[in-house]
């Protein structure tokens, strides 16, 4: 049975159940532009719902993309009342957490503290998990209305503009590891509880509570993130060897976490075939791009492969993003839509 | 190329997901990576890569796929996504992690052990001892982990060794105590006999219960005796303290003291008592030094008593 898969992100934009959309890829391929475009299209197509776009990349570009300053707290985009943006550094969130812990317990010789540090260093993915939990906690604290439920996320869909590092979602493999670790700890706690209490002055109970909380949160998040009805990952790449290779590796890694990937956005395409006065460099580069596009078509026939053009200027500001993002839902045709390349307002 | 109109959007998505998974299974993930490398890499003889999806499962989760139909278009595809290549990769990671957990615990708790258990006060830290106990590997097979049913039964040799170590330290404490006792008595007696014979007369170096006699006695001989006595005491007590701390027999002695044992028992109920244990251990050490001084003073009193009785 063959399916003709439309080369757009319409299925993502129209899918009612999606709660989380991750956008990722190598550095410089246009992740921020793509995530902003997806967020803009979601906001435009569902005017009655609220959306949140978050950058977890320490090199924040959302402010640049929207020509508007964003910070740690969600702020509405000027000109799109149902889209908010925020820029969070997960590493900073993590160090905030560590500082809090340090304030609470500033004894450098506390063996339990050192044990906790050793433990976090020994479990692959726990750093990412703790960072992500802090981000999620922060997201939960962002409210559209003052009357919103405190423990519930106020947004219909949250779009993540992720950092280019490959292990952003490594913590998805964590729950089972953490579960086993905690069961060991709990057994230990039952056996040596009174003695540990004597030695740690009651701090170890808080440590268990904290680990339990992390485990519960990670399991809950894991369930959501591996559910294709709730979460999807959009890969962004350019039509070059390294980008293609990294994209394939990323897809495989995400599949190993049981995460759904069904769309790939190929950015910065030149579409030089139909130029009236073709420039030699563009023609040559387009030839190279076509080679990899053919390879992608073969490799990703079961994916939505969205081809986006390279424009004459940088895509900045809500209006420009609206114009560009249209082609995430309607395939770009250089013959018909060619004027887009030069029609953007320079910011 | 045609869509089947009878298939719902949900069903279509599910089939597509399974098709994507199928294309990554059975070593295909690695072969896809190698295809990209072969076609695009400028270095042709690059060594082949291995996909994360094709990592060997390390445990018993590796299941055979049996005679499942691997045709990605086939609807009966559920069994396929259970092959080790796809979803089991997660399980295998989890399993290997679970096998590593004991190792990890060992590392964590092993890192807490401050010394070899014989380094004086360090060996008395109950947490250090507990951590050390946890960090002991299982006996023989290695399956008896520090967190297995009875961690205390894990290493009988170790406990026997600890017991012998305590006995040895107690013995050494006694030996040193005896040596110092001999030196102290010898020095004191020498000091006394020296002054007794050098001074010669029976009044200058003698005690008396009558004040007027005491006032007649020149102060200098007695002062010389006590100066020498104080010097000897300072040297002996300082050496005893230094040796006791260095060799660690003070801590062995104090840990057997009933005050420390009482504090240990009390801290099971009232953890705050634990902080007084260090003070108690230190005070008990000083008490032992004070006992040396008091013992020597007693000997001096006895000697002067004998001298005053026999001399008259």
């Amino acid at each position: 049975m063959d399916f003709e898969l439309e080369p757009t992100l319409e299925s993502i934009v129209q899918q009612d159940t999606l709660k989380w959309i991750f956008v990722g890829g190598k550095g410089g391929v246009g992740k921020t532009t793509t995530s902003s475009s997806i967020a803009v299209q979601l906001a435009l197509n569902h005017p009655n719902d609220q959306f949140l776009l978050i950058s977890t990349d320490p090199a924040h570009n959302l402010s640049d993309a929207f020509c508007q300053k964003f910070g740690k707290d969600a702020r509405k985009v000027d000109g799109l009342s149902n889209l908010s943006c925020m820029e969070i550094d997960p590493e900073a969130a993590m160090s905030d957490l560590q500082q809090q812990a340090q304030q609470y317990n500033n004894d450098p010789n506390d063996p339990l503290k050192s044990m906790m540090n050793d433990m976090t260093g020994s479990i692959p993915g726990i750093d990412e998990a703790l960072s992500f939990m802090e981000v999620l906690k922060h997201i939960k604290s962002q409210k559209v209305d003052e009357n919103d439920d405190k423990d519930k996320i106020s947004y219909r869909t949250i779009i993540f503009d992720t950092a280019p590092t490959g292990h952003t979602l490594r913590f998805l493999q964590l729950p089972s590891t953490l579960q086993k670790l905690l069961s060991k700890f709990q057994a230990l706690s039952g056996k040596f509880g009174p003695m540990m209490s004597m030695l740690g002055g009651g701090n170890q109970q808080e440590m268990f509570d904290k680990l339990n909380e992390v485990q519960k949160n990670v399991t809950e998040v894991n369930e959501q993130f591996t559910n294709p009805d709730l979460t999807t990952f959009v890969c962004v790449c350019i039509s070059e060897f390294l980008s293609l290779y990294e994209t394939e590796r990323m897809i495989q890694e995400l599949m190993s976490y049981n995460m759904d990937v069904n769309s790939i956005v190929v950015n910065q395409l030149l579409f030089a075939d139909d130029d009236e006065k073709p420039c030699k460099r563009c023609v040559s580069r387009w030839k190279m791009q076509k080679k990899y596009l053919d390879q992608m078509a073969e490799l990703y026939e079961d994916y939505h492969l969205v081809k986006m053009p390279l424009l004459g200027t940088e895509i900045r500001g809500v209006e420009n993003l609206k114009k560009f993002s249209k082609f995430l839902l309607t395939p770009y045709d250089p013959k018909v839509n060619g004027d887009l390349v030069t029609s953007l307002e320079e910011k | 190329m045609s869509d089947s109109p009878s298939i719902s959007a949900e069903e279509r998505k599910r089939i597509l997901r399974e098709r994507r998974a199928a294309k990554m299974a059975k070593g295909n993930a690695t072969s896809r990576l190698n295809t990209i490398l072969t076609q695009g890499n400028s270095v042709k003889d690059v060594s082949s890569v291995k996909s994360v999806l094709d990592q060997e499962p390390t445990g018993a989760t590796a299941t055979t796929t049996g005679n499942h139909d691997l045709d990605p278009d086939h609807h009966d595809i559920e069994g396929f996504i259970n092959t080790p290549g796809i979803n089991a990769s997660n399980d295998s990671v989890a399993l290997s992690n679970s096998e590593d957990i004991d190792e990890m615990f060992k590392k964590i708790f092993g890192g807490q052990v401050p010394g070899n258990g014989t380094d004086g006060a360090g060996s008395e830290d109950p947490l250090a001892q507990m951590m050390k106990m946890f960090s002991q590997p299982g006996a023989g097979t290695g399956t008896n982990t520090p967190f297995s049913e009875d961690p205390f039964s894990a290493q009988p040799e170790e406990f026997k060794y600890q017991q012998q170590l305590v006995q040895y330290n107690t013995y050494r404490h006694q030996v040193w105590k005896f040596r110092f006792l001999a030196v102290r008595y010898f020095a004191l007696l020498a000091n006394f006999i020296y002054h007794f014979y050098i001074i010669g007369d029976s009044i200058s170096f003698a005690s008396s219960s009558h004040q007027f006699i005491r006032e007649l006695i020149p102060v200098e001989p007695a002062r010389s005796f006590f100066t020498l006595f104080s010097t000897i005491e300072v040297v002996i007590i300082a050496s005893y303290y230094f040796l006791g701390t260095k060799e660690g027999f003070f801590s062995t002695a104090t840990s057997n003291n009933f005050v420390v044992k009482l504090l240990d028992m009390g801290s099971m109920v009232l953890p705050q008592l634990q902080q007084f244990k260090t003070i108690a251990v230190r005070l008990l050490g000083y008490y032992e030094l004070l006992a040396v001084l008091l013992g020597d003073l007693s000997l001096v009193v006895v000697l002067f008593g004998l001298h005053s009785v026999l001399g008259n």
Side-chain angles (χ1 to χ4, degrees), chain A residues 306-323:
Chain A
V306 187
K307 296 171 189 170
M308 298 298 278
L310 176 71
L311 303 189
T313 57
E314 288 172 301
I315 304 155
R316 283 176 173 166
V318 177
E319 288 312 312
N320 284 344
L321 279 168
K322 279 181 185 171
K323 283 183 193 168

Side-chain angles (χ1 to χ4, degrees), chain B residues 227-303:
Chain B
T227 308
L228 203 58
F229 171 77
S230 308
T231 313
I232 291 167
E233 284 305 302
V234 166
V235 171
I236 285 178
I237 290 173
S239 315
Y240 188 58
Y241 180 74
F242 173 74
L243 258 163
T245 317
K246 189 168 169 265
E247 297 291 322
F249 54 71
F250 268 163
S251 51
T252 312
T254 49
S255 66
N256 287 329
N257 191 288
F258 90 102
V259 177
V260 176
K261 282 182 178 167
L262 206 67
L263 278 172
D264 271 340
M265 278 168 68
S267 60
M268 300 289 270
V269 186
L270 196 67
Q272 284 83 353
L273 282 179
Q274 194 63 25
Q275 58 186 311
F276 296 112
K277 192 184 162 185
T278 326
I279 302 168
V281 166
R282 187 164 292 177
L283 284 177
L284 284 168
Y286 292 146
Y287 171 73
E288 192 156 343
L289 300 179
L290 189 68
V292 170
L293 182 68
L294 289 175
D296 292 351
L297 271 175
S298 310
L299 181 65
V300 170
V301 170
V302 170
L303 288 172

Side-chain angles (χ1 to χ4, degrees), chain B residues 115-151:
Chain B
N116 57 8
T118 60
D119 53 349
S123 64
E124 293 310 310
D125 180 4
L127 182 64
Q129 285 182 348
M130 195 174 76
M131 292 304 177
K132 188 176 175 190
M133 183 183 76
F134 289 164
S135 71
Q136 298 306 318
T141 60
T143 53
N144 192 8
T145 68
F147 296 91
S148 61
E149 281 311 301
D150 185 8

